Amino acid sequence: MIPPQEASVRRREIEDKLKQEEETLSFIRDSLEKSDQLTKNMVSILSSFESRLMKLENSIIPVHKQTENLQRLQENVEKTLSCLDHVISYYHVASDTEKIIREGPTGRLEEYLACMAKIQKAVEYFQDNNPDSPELNRVKFLFERGKESLESEFRSLMTRHSKVVSPVLILDLISGEDDMETQDDMTLEHLSESVLHDVIRISRWLVEYGRNQDFMNVYYQIRSSQLDRSIKGLKEHFRKSSSSSGVPYSPAIPNKRKDTPTKKPVKRPGRDDMLDMEIDAYIHCVSAFVKLAQSEYQLLTDIIPEHHQKKTFDSLIQDALDGLMMEGENIVSVARKAIIRHDYSAVLTVFPILRHLKQTKPEFDQVLQGTAASTKNKLPGLITSMETTGAKALEDFADNIKNDPDKEYNMPKDGTVHELTSNAILFLQQLLDFQETAGAMLASQETSSSATSYNSEFSKRLLSTYICKVLGNLQLNLLSKSKVYEDPALRAIFLHNNYNYILKSLEKSELIHLVAVTQKTAERSYRDHIEQQIQTYQRSWLKVTDYISEKNLPVFQPGVKLRDKERQMIKERFKGFNDGLEELCKIQKAWAIPDTEQRDKIRQAQKTIVKENYGAFLHRYASVPFTKNPEKYIKYRVEQVADMIERLFDTSA
């Protein structure tokens, strides 16, 4: 049971707490009442604000719509005014630009093109909006006049600034083509940068706005003339230089030839310096065409629209290309006429030219890429023509060597080398300069299956076979010609001289190596022929040495008197020897052996034979009393006989 005192304390605590709760509850109740009042006031205020907003909106919206309409009207007015200004400006174009158009574009191209742009827009406007306007005719007239002025300016710029390339510059360009370090420096500048800029601007305008392609014809005609004149100027340079100094400024054509001879070429028979100059000039003109045409194409690509470039270039190069081809055909024509006359030296002009054309053909093909087939086929056609003519010349030459008539009056009286031999060898020596070219000529005429697989080795074998054929024909003809000589000894000397000349010439010019491709024993064969003719010649002395040979000589005992028959026989032997010696020496002294080595060899061999026989004969009979006048029969000492033989084959003695 809780004591009364504690219960009283608890009661008071509870009552105090209850009182505090009641006070709190009363505060909350008052706060809620205030809040409700505030809420009512706020609702009242908001309701009043909403009402006022509604009134404001009802007042503003009509004003806003009216303002918007006014702004739209203002914009329309501004646009209308702008359009009117734009339209009015077209009516002023003619008067604003007429003076500039009339004065032309020279010196102020950009300003002129800007005027043309204004005129063009005016034309388009009037055509679309007022095609019956007199202003349309006026701006059309100005546009056409301006276009004509631009065309005229294009022609004028191209004419005034397109210059012929000087021969020296062309030759430098040709000679520098293998020098990679200077190649960039050798680029030709046909037009200055400013002129090129103007030409390009005009050409693009004419294509895009002028709807005109006539300027392309103007371009190719002007540049074609310059190209043609540049090449002709180079040819004239060679002619003038050759006539004035004899040595034109002529850098060597780049030495890429596989068939360049290792020894100095022999001067061609019948050729002269003027002909050599013509060949050299033509070869250089061919190289010049390639270089200049390449340069022309580079220039053309900047000026002419891409889809017109090939056709324009084709037209541009025609005159110069036709000139070269015509000159080449003239060379072929001259060669053909020479073949008919059996003048094969003139045919040799074809060889260096043909070689150069074939070496240059890859560059030609590259330059002419994209041109018409007729243009591309011109060089191959000329090459074929030259190959056919050259092959005909080679075959005719071989036949002519075989069939050259045996004319007695044309035979060398001293038995020296025949003109046919020297000419034949000289001609063959020229083929060393053009081995691949000549081989290709022969191969071009082959119809066998082996010819279709043409290569350098095949060409070499064909040329070797041809040379051997010529040498064989020459040998047969020489044998036939030698029969003109009644004296077998002179016949032998003649054949000896010719065979020896052929062999030495083959060895000196290295023709022997080419011959050996198909005839390994050719050199030995010629040596055998030469030795055989020497032996034939030596037999001519038998009629002299037979008199003093031991056969049929009388046998006698020392101290025994000779019989009259024996003395007469000895006298006849001496007389026969003396007369024979004198006759042979007199005749053979007028004969010739040009080769010093061979001449000395033949003399020495003959001296040895005669001295031995005559020495033995003298030893046996010089002291024999076969006559009262020994000086009448013993006319010569052994040394005198040797001296007489030493003077053989020496027409100067």
Side-chain angles (χ1 to χ4, degrees):
M1 183 171 179
I2 300 173
Q5 189 177 358
E6 291 183 6
S8 178
V9 172
R10 293 278 302 275
R11 188 181 303 111
R12 282 195 300 275
E13 290 177 354
I14 292 169
E15 289 175 353
D16 291 340
K17 192 171 183 180
L18 181 61
K19 187 178 180 179
Q20 290 177 356
E21 293 292 334
E22 289 175 349
E23 291 175 353
T24 301
L25 181 62
S26 177
F27 175 76
I28 291 171
R29 197 174 286 118
D30 291 341
S31 296
L32 287 172
E33 289 176 358
K34 290 179 179 180
S35 176
D36 287 342
Q37 188 62 40
L38 289 171
T39 301
K40 289 178 181 178
N41 292 338
M42 181 60 70
V43 169
S44 177
I45 291 169
L46 289 173
S47 296
S48 176
F49 185 69
E50 183 179 6
S51 177
R52 290 179 180 181
L53 281 176
M54 289 290 291
K55 290 179 181 179
L56 180 62
E57 183 177 354
N58 290 335
S59 301
I60 291 297
I61 285 176
V63 173
H64 176 72
K65 288 182 177 179
Q66 187 176 5
T67 303
E68 190 178 58
N69 289 335
L70 289 172
Q71 287 177 339
R72 189 177 296 112
L73 287 172
Q74 183 180 1
E75 288 176 359
N76 288 338
V77 169
E78 289 176 351
K79 287 181 180 178
T80 301
L81 290 173
S82 176
C83 287
L84 284 173
D85 289 340
H86 184 65
V87 169
I88 291 171
S89 70
Y90 288 129
Y91 285 86
H92 293 170
V93 165
S95 58
D96 291 344
T97 60
E98 186 173 10
K99 183 174 183 290
I100 295 175
I101 296 301
R102 185 174 63 251
E103 292 174 352
T106 304
R108 53 176 177 182
L109 180 61
E110 293 303 326
E111 181 184 4
Y112 196 87
L113 291 176
C115 288
M116 290 297 292
K118 291 179 182 179
I119 295 171
Q120 184 181 6
K121 288 180 180 178
V123 171
E124 292 171 354
Y125 170 78
F126 289 120
Q127 283 177 335
D128 293 340
N129 298 283
N130 194 359
D132 297 327
S133 169
E135 286 295 324
L136 175 60
N137 293 331
R138 189 178 178 192
V139 290
K140 268 187 172 181
F141 173 77
L142 281 177
F143 184 82
E144 291 301 320
R145 184 172 181 177
K147 185 172 74 170
E148 289 173 2
S149 294
L150 286 170
E151 293 170 354
S152 178
E153 179 69 3
F154 183 89
R155 179 188 294 273
S156 176
L157 286 172
M158 291 302 303
T159 302
R160 283 187 287 116
H161 297 281
S162 291
K163 305 296 182 185
V164 173
V165 183
S166 72
V168 172
L169 187 56
I170 295 174
L171 291 169
D172 286 340
L173 187 68
I174 296 171
S175 63
E177 68 177 353
D178 281 342
D179 190 349
M180 299 305 293
E181 296 180 359
T182 61
Q183 186 65 27
D184 294 337
D185 299 334
M186 292 303 298
T187 303
L188 291 175
E189 184 183 76
H190 295 289
L191 302 174
S192 67
E193 188 174 344
S194 61
V195 172
L196 181 60
H197 173 269
D198 287 354
V199 168
I200 292 172
R201 290 282 285 124
I202 295 173
S203 70
R204 289 178 180 174
W205 188 92
L206 289 172
V207 170
E208 188 173 354
Y209 303 110
R211 306 292 190 271
N212 190 324
Q213 297 181 5
D214 291 343
F215 78 95
M216 299 181 199
N217 295 333
V218 170
Y219 177 87
Y220 91 69
Q221 288 167 2
I222 293 173
R223 295 307 308 172
S224 174
S225 174
Q226 301 305 325
L227 174 61
D228 191 40
R229 288 168 60 194
S230 296
I231 294 175
K232 288 179 178 175
L234 177 63
K235 185 177 180 181
E236 186 63 24
H237 169 78
F238 271 84
R239 185 176 289 109
K240 288 182 178 178
S241 299
S242 178
S243 60
S244 61
S245 63
V247 184
Y249 168 57
S250 170
I253 291 292
N255 189 11
K256 296 178 181 176
R257 305 178 178 90
K258 294 180 181 178
D259 46 3
T260 300
T262 55
K263 291 194 175 184
K264 185 177 181 180
V266 180
K267 181 68 178 177
R268 296 177 176 89
R271 292 281 297 278
D272 55 32
D273 292 337
M274 185 57 68
L275 186 56
D276 286 336
M277 182 280 295
E278 292 289 343
I279 295 171
D280 203 26
Y282 185 74
I283 286 174
H284 278 80
C285 286
V286 169
S287 293
F289 172 82
V290 172
K291 290 300 174 186
L292 292 176
Q294 288 172 343
S295 182
E296 287 293 342
Y297 190 75
Q298 291 171 358
L299 177 66
L300 177 143
T301 54
D302 291 330
I303 299 172
I304 303 299
E306 184 175 359
H307 54 288
H308 291 285
Q309 289 173 1
K310 295 295 185 182
K311 183 179 179 181
T312 304
F313 179 70
D314 196 337
S315 300
L316 190 157
I317 61 174
Q318 284 304 315
D319 285 350
L321 182 59
D322 286 344
L324 284 176
M325 296 302 106
M326 185 179 299
E327 191 171 349
E329 288 295 347
N330 287 341
I331 292 169
V332 173
S333 177
V334 170
R336 286 173 180 156
K337 292 176 182 176
I339 294 172
I340 296 173
R341 300 192 310 269
H342 302 300
D343 175 13
Y344 300 99
S345 62
V347 178
L348 292 169
T349 59
V350 171
F351 284 80
I353 293 172
L354 176 59
R355 175 175 64 185
H356 186 68
L357 289 179
K358 295 180 77 171
Q359 288 171 343
T360 313
K361 187 177 180 296
E363 288 184 274
F364 248 98
D365 293 342
Q366 186 177 9
V367 169
L368 301 182
Q369 188 176 4
T371 58
S374 59
T375 302
K376 292 178 183 176
N377 292 333
K378 286 181 180 179
L379 180 65
L382 178 59
I383 288 176
T384 299
S385 180
M386 285 192 169
E387 281 193 329
T388 303
T389 302
K392 178 72 165 56
L394 291 175
E395 291 303 320
D396 279 20
F397 178 78
D399 292 341
N400 187 64
I401 292 297
K402 181 179 181 180
N403 301 318
D404 184 70
D406 304 329
K407 298 177 181 177
E408 186 172 350
Y409 66 84
N410 198 35
M411 294 295 289
K413 291 181 171 53
D414 57 1
T416 190
V417 177
H418 197 280
E419 183 182 12
L420 179 69
T421 303
S422 58
N423 286 343
I425 293 300
L426 284 171
F427 185 87
L428 293 180
Q429 285 172 337
Q430 301 315 303
L431 299 187
L432 276 179
D433 295 5
F434 312 102
Q435 291 184 40
E436 289 194 2
T437 305
M441 281 181 179
L442 296 169
S444 69
Q445 305 305 304
E446 287 288 317
T447 56
S448 63
S449 59
S450 60
T452 59
S453 58
Y454 165 74
N455 55 42
S456 180
E457 188 60 32
F458 176 72
S459 165
K460 194 172 184 179
R461 291 190 65 83
L462 276 180
L463 185 56
S464 175
T465 300
Y466 172 77
I467 291 173
C468 291
K469 176 183 177 181
V470 172
L471 293 175
N473 288 351
L474 177 60
Q475 188 172 337
L476 289 173
N477 198 313
L478 290 172
L479 281 170
S480 176
K481 289 182 184 303
S482 68
K483 295 174 183 177
V484 170
Y485 298 113
E486 295 180 0
D487 191 331
L490 181 54
R491 190 181 307 156
I493 291 297
F494 171 76
L495 291 175
H496 163 273
N497 284 333
N498 282 271
Y499 292 157
N500 184 65
Y501 178 84
I502 293 170
L503 177 60
K504 291 294 177 67
S505 299
L506 293 178
E507 292 173 335
K508 286 179 182 178
S509 65
E510 298 184 3
L511 272 170
I512 195 68
H513 300 309
L514 199 51
V515 169
V517 171
T518 53
Q519 284 196 10
K520 305 291 185 184
T521 61
E523 186 175 2
R524 187 175 71 244
S525 176
Y526 273 110
R527 295 193 187 282
D528 290 344
H529 287 320
I530 291 168
E531 188 59 37
Q532 181 182 348
Q533 298 309 319
I534 291 175
Q535 292 174 5
T536 301
Y537 162 74
Q538 288 176 340
R539 284 198 289 271
S540 69
W541 282 83
L542 290 177
K543 61 183 179 181
V544 177
T545 55
D546 274 354
Y547 284 108
I548 55 175
S549 63
E550 292 188 2
K551 63 181 180 179
N552 300 324
L553 283 176
V555 180
F556 60 90
Q557 297 296 327
V560 177
K561 186 177 179 181
L562 294 175
R563 290 174 296 185
D564 291 342
K565 184 179 179 180
E566 292 173 336
R567 286 196 299 270
Q568 186 60 32
M569 183 178 291
I570 295 172
K571 289 178 183 179
E572 289 176 356
R573 293 298 180 94
F574 270 107
K575 186 177 187 305
F577 173 79
N578 292 336
D579 292 346
L581 175 66
E582 290 168 357
E583 181 184 3
L584 279 185
C585 287
K586 180 181 178 181
I587 294 172
Q588 296 184 6
K589 180 182 177 182
W591 298 353
I593 300 179
D595 188 317
T596 305
E597 182 181 347
Q598 285 292 312
R599 184 168 65 238
D600 292 343
K601 175 184 175 182
I602 292 173
R603 282 172 175 171
Q604 188 59 44
Q606 206 56 53
K607 280 194 296 185
T608 300
I609 295 171
V610 176
K611 282 173 64 178
E612 286 181 358
N613 282 272
Y614 186 59
F617 186 75
L618 276 183
H619 180 72
R620 174 174 294 186
Y621 293 108
S623 58
V624 173
F626 66 92
T627 179
K628 294 180 179 179
N629 301 306
E631 65 279 359
K632 179 180 177 181
Y633 298 98
I634 307 176
K635 296 174 63 175
Y636 305 104
R637 301 189 308 276
V638 173
E639 291 73 15
Q640 288 177 304
V641 171
D643 289 341
M644 292 171 70
I645 296 174
E646 186 64 32
R647 289 194 291 273
L648 297 179
F649 318 118
D650 186 2
T651 54
S652 63

